[in-house]
Amino acid sequence: MEITYASPSASDLFRSSTAASGSTMPTPRTIKIIPLQHPDTSSYGSPGGFGNNSSSSSLWPNSWISRFRGKIRRMTFIDWIEMFLPCCRWIRTYRWREYFQVDLMAGTTVGIMLVPQAMSYAKLAGLEPIYGLYSGFVPIFIYAIFGSSRQLAIGPVALVSLLVSNVLSGIAESSDALYTELAILLALMVGILECIMGLLRLGWLIRFISHSVISGFTTASAVVIALSQAKYFLGYDIDRSSEIVPIIKSIIAGSDEFSWPPFVMGSTILAIIQTMKFLGKSRKHLRFLRAMGPLTAVVLGTTFVKIYHPSSITLVGDIPQGLPSFSIPKSFQYAKSLISTAVLITGVAILESVGIAKALAAKNGYELDSNQELFGLGVANIFGSFFSAYPTTGSFSRSAVNHESGAKTGLSGIITGSIMCCALLFLTPLFEYIPQCALAAIVISAVITLVDYEEAIFLWRVDKKDFLLWTITTTTTLFLGIEIGVLVGVGVSLAFVIHESANPHIAVLGRLPGTTVYRNIQQYPEAYTYNGIVIVRIDAPIYFANISYIKDRLREYEVVGNKSTKRGPEVERIYFVILELAPVTYIDASAVQALKDLHQEYKSRDIQIAISNPNQEVLLTLSKAGVVEMIGKEWYFVRVHDAVQVCLQHVQTMSPKASDPSHEKPSFFQRIMKQRREDLSVSELESGNSQMRSDSTQDDPQLEPLLSRRS
C-alpha cells in the first residue's frame, strides 16, 4: 500500500523558515511512501494485534516449549522408535539384493584396515595392543544401533590416542595397571559428556572454535605423533611428551644407539603403504589398495620376522586371546584430573566425527541430526568402557574408505565388528610376531594426511587473520603442549569473534544513479549522497559491547562527512541521520538507552534521527522502551528512499536558495513539469527508468529528490 505523505513537522519547519526569511514559501510538495506498521504493545500477542503474526511467536518466553509440545504431539509410534534407535530407519527400508553385497564388501574392507590400525593406535596411547582391538569391537556394534550415520566408521583414532597418552603419562606409568584403568575410565567420562551434550542439544557450543584452530591443532598433533613413533624406527627409547622440543632433544641424545634394521624395515613398510594409498586414490580400479595398505604392512613385517628372526627388531609380543569380559571402570578418584581431557576429546568428536558424518549424509541423500549423532557416540563409549575400551570416535580415513567401498547402511559397521570379533577369537596368536616398526609405519602413514599445509597456504592467500590464528595454534601446540595449544587457539579465536562483534561493520550509503537503491559508497563509488543527510547502515546486532563504537562512528560521519558526490540543496551541516536497521537482528536494553542518549544529543544540535526498515523484534523493543514515541512515529520508514524523500523535503526549506526572496519565481511551464514529477508512481521510481526533462532539472537542481540528473 502507498500513501501520500508529508511529515507532521513539515508545516512547522516551513513556518519557521518563512518567518526567519520574511518571505512567502510555497507549500511543500507531497511525496509517496510505504507506511510502516507499528506494533501495539498493549495488545501484543493478542488476536488481531501485531504479535498475531506467526514469526512474532518466537518472541514469547515460552514459545520453544510450545513448539516442543507440538512436535511431541505430531510424533507417531514409529517416530519414537527411530528417535531412540536410529538403526530402525535403515532396517525398515533395507534392500537386501541391492545393499547387502556392497555393505559386506565395505564392512570387510574397513575391518581389514581396522585390525592393524587399532593395535597401532593403542601403542600410541601407551596401552597394550589388545585394548585397541577391544576398542574396535563393542563400540562398533553399539554405534550401529544408536548412531544415525550409515557410513561413519568409529574406533580408535590417532588424535584421541595422543590425547589419552598426554594426560595419563603425567599420572601413571604406561606399564602400571592404573594407566589402563584410567584410560577405560576416560572412555566412560567422554561417553557421559557426549550423551549430556547430545540430550541438551549443546553441540552448537563447539561452533565458536574456528576451523583455523582445528587445522592448526591437528597439524601440530600430527607432527608430535609422527615424532613419538620414531623410537620404533630408530631402535631406542625416546622421552614421551606432547611438546616437540623434549622429543627432538631425546632423539638427538640417543643417536649413538641407532639401529639400522628397524629403520630400514619401517621405512620400507611406510613407503609401501604410501604407494598403495596413492595408487588407491589416483586410480579407481585400484581403490582397494588404499584399505589393504595396513594389512599388507603387517603381513610383510610378520613374514620377514618369521623367516629371518632378527634380534634387533622388537615385536608386539603375546596378546590375550578371546573376547573382553564385562567390568565396571575403576579409579574414580582420578576423575577430576581427567575432566579437561574428556572435554577436549568430546570437542574432537563433535568437530571431526559429527562433521564427517554430516558430510557423508549429504553425499548419500539422508538427513542427520548432529545432537543425535553425538548421543550415539556417547552411548558407544559408555558401553565400550564396560568392555575394556578406551575413548573412540569417528575415523576420517576409515569412513572415507567405507564410503568409497559403497557402504549403504550401518550393516557395514556390524560386519566390521564381526571381523574384529573373529580377530580376537582366532588371530591373536599370529599378532605376536608383528614388528613394532610396522605398527609405527601405519600410524605415521595415517597422520601424514593430518599435516594440513595446504590449508595454511589457502589462509595466507584469502585471510591473513585466519592464517595468524592457524600459526598461533600450531606453534603453541608444538612448543607448549596439546592442552595449552588448544586453549590458546580457542582463546585467540574467541578474541577475534569478540573484536568483530564489538567493532561491527558500519557503512555510509549512497544512492545508485537512476535507481532508488542505496548501497555502500565505498563499494559503489558512483553512488551519491545528499547534502544535509547522512545514511548509515549498521551490519550487526546492537548491544552493550558495540554501542559505544557505533556512537563514535556516527559522530565521526556527522563531523567528517564523506568524499562521494553530493546532490540536493546546499546546506552547511548535517540535519538528518538515517539509520538503516535491516541487518540489525537484535537490540538490547543498553543499546536502547544509548539510542535515547544519542537522540537527546542530536536534538540539542538540531539533528533529527530517522529509522529505516527495522525488523519486527527490534521495532517491538524500541516501542516498549518508548524510543518510537521519543523519536516520533513519523520518522520510521519501510525503505531508505522513503526516509530520504521526507528528509530532503525538510532540507530544501533550510537551503539558502529556498529562503532567498530574490530567488526567481518558476514559470508556468516549470510548475507544470514539477507537478508531473511529483505525480510519478512508486513503481516508476523503483524501476529507475523514468526520466526528467533536462531543462527543468537544470533550472532547479534542488528539486531532484527522486531521480538523478542524466548527463
Side-chain angles (χ1 to χ4, degrees), residues 627-666:
V627 178
V628 172
E629 288 73 17
M630 177 181 291
I631 295 176
K633 288 187 177 182
E634 68 273 15
W635 295 106
Y636 287 76
F637 303 92
V638 172
R639 303 179 305 169
V640 173
H641 186 60
D642 293 345
V644 170
Q645 290 183 93
V646 173
C647 294
L648 193 58
Q649 186 183 58
H650 294 330
V651 171
Q652 288 173 355
T653 67
M654 304 166 188
S655 170
K657 289 185 179 181
S659 58
D660 186 4
S662 64
H663 186 62
E664 184 180 353
K665 185 177 180 180

Side-chain angles (χ1 to χ4, degrees), residues 87 90-91 103-104 107-108 136-137 140-145 150 152 402 409-421:
C87 62
W90 57 265
I91 290 176
D103 280 341
L104 178 63
T108 303
F137 175 49
I140 290 180
F141 287 102
I142 300 300
Y143 179 81
I145 298 172
R150 304 173 189 179
L152 186 69
N402 198 33
T409 66
L411 182 62
S412 62
I414 295 176
I415 294 170
T416 299
S418 301
I419 292 176
M420 186 63 72
C421 178

Side-chain angles (χ1 to χ4, degrees), residues 489-708:
V490 171
V492 175
S493 179
L494 290 177
F496 283 162
V497 171
I498 294 171
H499 179 268
E500 291 295 328
S501 178
N503 299 273
H505 179 263
I506 301 176
V508 175
L509 304 186
R511 182 176 175 181
L512 297 181
T515 73
T516 58
V517 177
Y518 294 78
R519 292 292 182 266
N520 186 352
I521 60 175
Q522 299 293 331
Q523 184 176 358
Y524 297 90
E526 69 272 19
Y528 59 87
T529 58
Y530 289 105
N531 292 312
I533 302 172
V534 60
I535 311 167
V536 179
R537 187 186 68 212
I538 303 170
D539 295 329
I542 306 176
Y543 68 113
F544 64 92
N546 63 14
I547 186 61
S548 297
Y549 174 81
I550 293 173
K551 289 173 66 176
D552 292 342
R553 294 297 300 274
L554 289 175
R555 294 189 186 102
E556 176 186 333
Y557 294 144
E558 176 194 348
V559 176
V560 177
N562 59 77
K563 299 179 180 179
S564 64
T565 305
K566 298 282 188 177
R567 300 288 179 89
E570 295 181 2
V571 291
E572 297 178 353
R573 64 180 183 87
I574 298 296
Y575 287 98
F576 296 94
V577 175
I578 301 174
L579 300 181
E580 161 68 304
L581 299 187
V584 178
T585 58
Y586 168 75
I587 183 170
D588 72 351
S590 300
V592 168
Q593 186 59 46
L595 196 59
K596 288 182 178 180
D597 297 340
L598 184 64
H599 173 261
Q600 295 297 335
E601 180 184 331
Y602 278 158
K603 188 176 180 181
S604 66
R605 299 200 300 272
D606 294 326
I607 298 175
Q608 176 64 51
I609 293 179
I611 306 295
S612 169
N613 197 22
N615 71 23
Q616 184 171 305
E617 183 176 352
V618 170
L619 188 57
L620 178 66
T621 302
L622 296 177
S623 297
K624 288 181 176 180
V627 178
V628 172
E629 288 73 17
M630 177 181 291
I631 295 176
K633 288 187 177 182
E634 68 273 15
W635 295 106
Y636 287 76
F637 303 92
V638 172
R639 303 179 305 169
V640 173
H641 186 60
D642 293 345
V644 170
Q645 290 183 93
V646 173
C647 294
L648 193 58
Q649 186 183 58
H650 294 330
V651 171
Q652 288 173 355
T653 67
M654 304 166 188
S655 170
K657 289 185 179 181
S659 58
D660 186 4
S662 64
H663 186 62
E664 184 180 353
K665 185 177 180 180
S667 65
F668 174 78
F669 178 75
Q670 291 172 337
R671 291 198 300 271
I672 292 295
M673 294 306 300
K674 175 183 176 182
Q675 184 63 38
R676 289 184 60 186
R677 290 197 300 271
E678 293 173 355
D679 292 337
L680 286 173
S681 65
V682 174
S683 61
E684 289 175 328
L685 295 175
E686 295 292 352
S687 66
N689 293 324
S690 52
Q691 300 182 11
M692 295 185 197
R693 297 182 63 91
S694 60
D695 54 352
S696 61
T697 54
Q698 290 174 359
D699 288 340
D700 196 351
Q702 295 181 11
L703 303 179
E704 194 232 359
L706 300 180
L707 289 176
S708 63

Side-chain angles (χ1 to χ4, degrees), residues 224-245:
V224 173
I225 291 171
L227 289 175
S228 69
Q229 298 299 296
K231 62 181 180 180
Y232 301 114
F233 276 53
L234 302 176
Y236 57 89
D237 287 335
I238 60 176
D239 294 340
R240 177 179 295 177
S241 176
S242 62
E243 302 171 24
I244 191 171
V245 174

Side-chain angles (χ1 to χ4, degrees), residues 119 298-299 301-303 305-306 315-321 422-423 426-435:
M119 293 187 289
V298 169
V299 171
T302 304
T303 303
V305 168
K306 291 285 287 184
L315 306 179
V316 170
D318 183 51
I319 295 179
Q321 189 172 6
C422 294
F426 308 112
L427 301 180
T428 51
L430 299 177
F431 298 156
E432 178 181 351
Y433 300 99
I434 298 176

Side-chain angles (χ1 to χ4, degrees), residues 47 66 190 350 623:
S66 302
V190 169
I350 297 175
S623 297

